[in-house]
Amino acid sequence: MHVLIIGGGVIGLVTAWRTAQRGARVTVVDPAPGGGAAEVAAGMLAAVTELHYGEESLLALNLVSARRYPDFTAELEEASGLGTGYRACGTLAVALDADDRAHLRELHALHRRCGLESAWLTGRECRRLEPMLAPGVRGGLRVDGDHQTDPRRLTAALLAACERAGVRFVRQRAGRLSLSG
């Protein structure tokens, strides 16, 4: 079986790598695989901090994904020989003004209603964790269960894992092309 994947962003590369691992011949078409959004993304893996009202039904999937991510990262690093910049460091979301503070208080209440762990901190407690924060920080949320990755290192590892798995790259815009050869 031959699988054609249009787009070599994070999702396209993960799909290509996993599909090649299952024995398919895979071709990824993208003029600059691993580029695009991954070059500017923050790399937040914040299932708790990025919870929004009305998305509670998505929360269970996000939490399962977050729990599985460290194993995925370890497998990818082994397959590629490269680090991904994954860090289990938590998130600190800070309030710079009264509106931010009200928003974070509401988010903290939503976390509690959903049974999630987050801690409300005063501005002083936030600055104790991050001394370079502005003196005017009004408070914040600490979410130890959120993590981060370096998107540029992640895509480099995915590209290497894809190449090691035999994925073929066509570095051009998608259009009419021949998959022979």
Side-chain angles (χ1 to χ4, degrees), residues 51-56 103 105-111 113:
L51 174 64
H52 298 286
Y53 290 100
E55 294 181 354
E56 293 86 350
H103 169 73
R105 282 288 197 187
E106 289 175 13
L107 182 59
H108 187 232
L110 177 60
H111 290 166
R113 282 195 303 277

Side-chain angles (χ1 to χ4, degrees), residues 5-16 28-30 32-38 154-155 158-159 162 169:
I5 297 173
I6 308 295
V10 171
I11 292 173
L13 293 174
V14 170
T15 302
V28 174
V29 178
D30 190 304
L154 175 66
T155 54
L158 284 166
L159 284 165
C162 283
F169 288 93

Side-chain angles (χ1 to χ4, degrees), residues 76-77 79-84 152-162:
L76 175 59
E77 289 178 349
S80 67
L82 299 173
T84 62
R152 289 148 301 279
R153 292 178 65 192
L154 175 66
T155 54
L158 284 166
L159 284 165
C162 283

Side-chain angles (χ1 to χ4, degrees), residues 92-115:
L92 177 63
V94 298
L96 299 175
D97 58 29
D99 289 339
D100 289 346
R101 190 173 195 272
H103 169 73
L104 288 179
R105 282 288 197 187
E106 289 175 13
L107 182 59
H108 187 232
L110 177 60
H111 290 166
R112 294 176 83 149
R113 282 195 303 277
C114 292

Side-chain angles (χ1 to χ4, degrees):
M1 172 173 52
H2 193 152
V3 176
L4 176 66
I5 297 173
I6 308 295
V10 171
I11 292 173
L13 293 174
V14 170
T15 302
W17 177 47
R18 290 297 197 203
T19 304
Q21 284 179 315
R22 287 163 178 75
R25 289 184 334 158
V26 179
T27 300
V28 174
V29 178
D30 190 304
E39 293 180 348
V40 296
M44 292 175 59
L45 304 169
V48 176
T49 304
E50 292 190 346
L51 174 64
H52 298 286
Y53 290 100
E55 294 181 354
E56 293 86 350
S57 60
L58 184 59
L59 177 61
L61 174 64
N62 290 344
L63 292 172
V64 167
S65 295
R67 282 191 298 272
R68 294 178 66 181
Y69 197 83
D71 290 339
F72 165 78
T73 297
E75 182 184 354
L76 175 59
E77 289 178 349
E78 184 176 325
S80 67
L82 299 173
T84 62
Y86 172 73
R87 294 179 48 212
C89 58
T91 296
L92 177 63
V94 298
L96 299 175
D97 58 29
D99 289 339
D100 289 346
R101 190 173 195 272
H103 169 73
L104 288 179
R105 282 288 197 187
E106 289 175 13
L107 182 59
H108 187 232
L110 177 60
H111 290 166
R112 294 176 83 149
R113 282 195 303 277
C114 292
L116 301 171
E117 291 187 31
S118 66
W120 178 258
L121 303 177
T122 65
R124 180 171 294 173
E125 291 168 323
C126 290
R127 284 186 297 281
R128 222 177 278 131
L129 290 174
E130 293 293 337
M132 297 303 289
L133 286 173
V137 167
R138 309 280 292 269
L141 282 180
R142 179 179 178 168
V143 181
D144 291 334
D146 284 347
H147 304 143
Q148 70 176 10
T149 194
D150 181 329
R152 289 148 301 279
R153 292 178 65 192
L154 175 66
T155 54
L158 284 166
L159 284 165
C162 283
E163 289 169 356
R164 287 182 176 187
V167 173
R168 177 177 168 231
F169 288 93
V170 176
R171 286 169 163 57
Q172 64 186 47
R173 295 183 62 80
R176 300 194 83 158
L177 57 102
S178 172
L179 295 179
S180 62

